Amino acid sequence: MKVLMFGWEFPPHISGGLGTACYGLIKGLNHHNQEVIFVVPKLWGDEEPLADFVNASDVEVDYREKKFIDTWQNLTYLEINSYLVPYLGPEEFEKYTDYTLHHRSDIDETVFSNKYQFSGKYGKNLMEEVARYALVATQVARMKDHDVIHAHDWLAYPAGIAAKEISGKPLVAHIHATQYDRAGKGGDQGPVYEMEKAGLLAADHVVAVSHLTRKIVIEKYGVHPDKVSVLHNAVLDASIIESKIKKKVPEKIVTFLGRITYQKGPEYFVEAAKKVLDRDPNVRFVMAGSGDLLNRMVERVAELGMGTKFHFTGFLKGQDVDDMYAMSDVYVMPSVSEPFGIAPLEAVRHNTPVIISKQSGVGEVLRNAIKIDFWDVDAMADAIFALLHYESISRMFKELGSQELKKLKWEHVAAKLVTVYEKLHQKQP
């Protein structure tokens, strides 16, 4: 089976769990002899050669060709319009914007026949890059022979739809997180929600990372239940990591590691920290990450008088993440709504007991963890205190958690995914 897969990032250049999940899934598919063509906006040259990588920045697209007209016009739901005339300077842009781009015949072809240099980032031009990526997908789908298309999250859904339209091959939409989770129940869903919905409805099959996410996809996006299956995430290596790093402080360390945004529940972690410190001042709390709520969390910690016991590290990656897990005596993930959440599994690998919210998908596979409602800061504080002060409880969760990891292998996830691919392929005329 040849799989044309669209993603937005790939290790070692990642911003979150999406790239890690793509890496694990491709390794699992390799285990089952599946051929993967992985398209990413920008390759950096140091990616592990696990797939036939396609650097979207190297793909030349002639925007005047007829095959791109429908794709370009269908991208209007991205709220992208004439401001995206390709590769025109200010003077050229002013000259041509009074005309409909794809119905002009008096413009030199070379103006539009160009490569687009994707940043590979999540910056201010993200929506533009998502649209360009979809146009590149049209070209790649024509260039590369494939049996099925697999698109990861909203960033790649327009690309998946474009590839399906040009090749006629079935599309699998893999949903790792939803805008409904990110924005909250009362938040503004906006164009990202519309892109997610378009991708999920256009897909021949939807893969959700948890039953929690499957429920949201069905109820909030209107996708038929028969079209949605659950494939939980896994870990790349189930062995326990024996770190040699040593703490440089005598106190116990409790860690929050993730984006400091509404979805991750950082404010509840801060409030629970205060309750723990009121009972035992010999504890240090760490908030590792960045996000729009960072300044507010810093201010709240100051208000609560915890400045000497609460540390903000900023965004961590690579070895720094491993070291943080290893130094921690407890890891807490108090997410308000978490489709899955790989971080607790990584904490368990470092022999660190975890506390997770009942509103997280990872709880469906990690049964031996303390689970609390994200809003219940009293229960969170009690759980932290118990793990710090009762060694038998901490040891029990460490041992049982490590046993559960052995069942969570990417090759098992990939085997189920191959079954999905085969069923879709068999339905093809």
Side-chain angles (χ1 to χ4, degrees), residues 284-295:
R284 288 181 184 261
F285 288 82
V286 175
M287 184 166 282
S290 59
D292 61 307
L293 293 184
L294 176 58
N295 290 340

PDB file of all heavy atoms in Angstrom, residues 284-295:
ATOM      1  N   ARG A 284       8.943  22.579  45.282  1.00  0.00           N
ATOM      2  CA  ARG A 284       9.108  23.551  44.194  1.00  0.00           C
ATOM      3  C   ARG A 284       8.219  23.147  43.025  1.00  0.00           C
ATOM      4  O   ARG A 284       8.139  21.971  42.673  1.00  0.00           O
ATOM      5  CB  ARG A 284      10.565  23.639  43.740  1.00  0.00           C
ATOM      6  CG  ARG A 284      11.479  24.321  44.731  1.00  0.00           C
ATOM      7  CD  ARG A 284      12.903  24.394  44.218  1.00  0.00           C
ATOM      8  NE  ARG A 284      13.803  24.955  45.210  1.00  0.00           N
ATOM      9  CZ  ARG A 284      14.204  26.226  45.231  1.00  0.00           C
ATOM     10  NH1 ARG A 284      13.771  27.063  44.289  1.00  0.00           N
ATOM     11  NH2 ARG A 284      15.023  26.654  46.170  1.00  0.00           N
ATOM     12  N   PHE A 285       7.592  24.143  42.424  1.00  0.00           N
ATOM     13  CA  PHE A 285       6.718  23.919  41.274  1.00  0.00           C
ATOM     14  C   PHE A 285       7.358  24.529  40.034  1.00  0.00           C
ATOM     15  O   PHE A 285       7.956  25.604  40.084  1.00  0.00           O
ATOM     16  CB  PHE A 285       5.344  24.539  41.520  1.00  0.00           C
ATOM     17  CG  PHE A 285       4.530  23.778  42.541  1.00  0.00           C
ATOM     18  CD1 PHE A 285       4.721  23.987  43.899  1.00  0.00           C
ATOM     19  CD2 PHE A 285       3.603  22.835  42.137  1.00  0.00           C
ATOM     20  CE1 PHE A 285       3.994  23.282  44.844  1.00  0.00           C
ATOM     21  CE2 PHE A 285       2.864  22.114  43.071  1.00  0.00           C
ATOM     22  CZ  PHE A 285       3.064  22.340  44.422  1.00  0.00           C
ATOM     23  N   VAL A 286       7.223  23.822  38.927  1.00  0.00           N
ATOM     24  CA  VAL A 286       7.806  24.268  37.659  1.00  0.00           C
ATOM     25  C   VAL A 286       6.722  24.309  36.591  1.00  0.00           C
ATOM     26  O   VAL A 286       5.951  23.348  36.433  1.00  0.00           O
ATOM     27  CB  VAL A 286       8.934  23.321  37.192  1.00  0.00           C
ATOM     28  CG1 VAL A 286       9.445  23.731  35.812  1.00  0.00           C
ATOM     29  CG2 VAL A 286      10.077  23.314  38.202  1.00  0.00           C
ATOM     30  N   MET A 287       6.649  25.423  35.882  1.00  0.00           N
ATOM     31  CA  MET A 287       5.762  25.526  34.724  1.00  0.00           C
ATOM     32  C   MET A 287       6.642  25.702  33.497  1.00  0.00           C
ATOM     33  O   MET A 287       7.253  26.757  33.292  1.00  0.00           O
ATOM     34  CB  MET A 287       4.779  26.694  34.876  1.00  0.00           C
ATOM     35  CG  MET A 287       3.777  26.792  33.739  1.00  0.00           C
ATOM     36  SD  MET A 287       2.381  27.884  34.103  1.00  0.00           S
ATOM     37  CE  MET A 287       1.379  26.827  35.166  1.00  0.00           C
ATOM     38  N   ALA A 288       6.746  24.650  32.700  1.00  0.00           N
ATOM     39  CA  ALA A 288       7.605  24.656  31.515  1.00  0.00           C
ATOM     40  C   ALA A 288       6.751  24.787  30.265  1.00  0.00           C
ATOM     41  O   ALA A 288       5.865  23.971  30.025  1.00  0.00           O
ATOM     42  CB  ALA A 288       8.418  23.364  31.458  1.00  0.00           C
ATOM     43  N   GLY A 289       7.023  25.819  29.477  1.00  0.00           N
ATOM     44  CA  GLY A 289       6.259  26.029  28.254  1.00  0.00           C
ATOM     45  C   GLY A 289       6.061  27.510  27.998  1.00  0.00           C
ATOM     46  O   GLY A 289       6.555  28.368  28.736  1.00  0.00           O
ATOM     47  N   SER A 290       5.335  27.796  26.945  1.00  0.00           N
ATOM     48  CA  SER A 290       5.019  29.177  26.591  1.00  0.00           C
ATOM     49  C   SER A 290       3.585  29.222  26.088  1.00  0.00           C
ATOM     50  O   SER A 290       2.990  28.193  25.779  1.00  0.00           O
ATOM     51  CB  SER A 290       5.982  29.700  25.511  1.00  0.00           C
ATOM     52  OG  SER A 290       5.893  28.878  24.342  1.00  0.00           O
ATOM     53  N   GLY A 291       3.031  30.414  26.016  1.00  0.00           N
ATOM     54  CA  GLY A 291       1.660  30.546  25.543  1.00  0.00           C
ATOM     55  C   GLY A 291       1.052  31.861  25.971  1.00  0.00           C
ATOM     56  O   GLY A 291       1.670  32.651  26.699  1.00  0.00           O
ATOM     57  N   ASP A 292      -0.168  32.101  25.536  1.00  0.00           N
ATOM     58  CA  ASP A 292      -0.791  33.400  25.747  1.00  0.00           C
ATOM     59  C   ASP A 292      -1.152  33.688  27.205  1.00  0.00           C
ATOM     60  O   ASP A 292      -1.401  34.836  27.568  1.00  0.00           O
ATOM     61  CB  ASP A 292      -2.042  33.536  24.869  1.00  0.00           C
ATOM     62  CG  ASP A 292      -3.099  32.496  25.189  1.00  0.00           C
ATOM     63  OD1 ASP A 292      -2.772  31.301  25.191  1.00  0.00           O
ATOM     64  OD2 ASP A 292      -4.253  32.881  25.447  1.00  0.00           O
ATOM     65  N   LEU A 293      -1.186  32.664  28.058  1.00  0.00           N
ATOM     66  CA  LEU A 293      -1.510  32.884  29.467  1.00  0.00           C
ATOM     67  C   LEU A 293      -0.272  32.991  30.360  1.00  0.00           C
ATOM     68  O   LEU A 293      -0.396  33.090  31.582  1.00  0.00           O
ATOM     69  CB  LEU A 293      -2.405  31.757  29.996  1.00  0.00           C
ATOM     70  CG  LEU A 293      -3.822  31.662  29.424  1.00  0.00           C
ATOM     71  CD1 LEU A 293      -4.603  30.554  30.119  1.00  0.00           C
ATOM     72  CD2 LEU A 293      -4.560  32.987  29.570  1.00  0.00           C
ATOM     73  N   LEU A 294       0.916  32.975  29.769  1.00  0.00           N
ATOM     74  CA  LEU A 294       2.141  32.980  30.565  1.00  0.00           C
ATOM     75  C   LEU A 294       2.225  34.182  31.491  1.00  0.00           C
ATOM     76  O   LEU A 294       2.464  34.038  32.703  1.00  0.00           O
ATOM     77  CB  LEU A 294       3.363  32.937  29.641  1.00  0.00           C
ATOM     78  CG  LEU A 294       4.736  33.043  30.339  1.00  0.00           C
ATOM     79  CD1 LEU A 294       4.909  31.935  31.363  1.00  0.00           C
ATOM     80  CD2 LEU A 294       5.854  33.020  29.313  1.00  0.00           C
ATOM     81  N   ASN A 295       2.037  35.383  30.955  1.00  0.00           N
ATOM     82  CA  ASN A 295       2.148  36.585  31.785  1.00  0.00           C
ATOM     83  C   ASN A 295       1.135  36.578  32.918  1.00  0.00           C
ATOM     84  O   ASN A 295       1.446  36.983  34.045  1.00  0.00           O
ATOM     85  CB  ASN A 295       1.978  37.841  30.931  1.00  0.00           C
ATOM     86  CG  ASN A 295       3.159  38.074  29.997  1.00  0.00           C
ATOM     87  OD1 ASN A 295       4.246  37.542  30.226  1.00  0.00           O
ATOM     88  ND2 ASN A 295       2.953  38.850  28.950  1.00  0.00           N
TER      89      ASN A 295
END
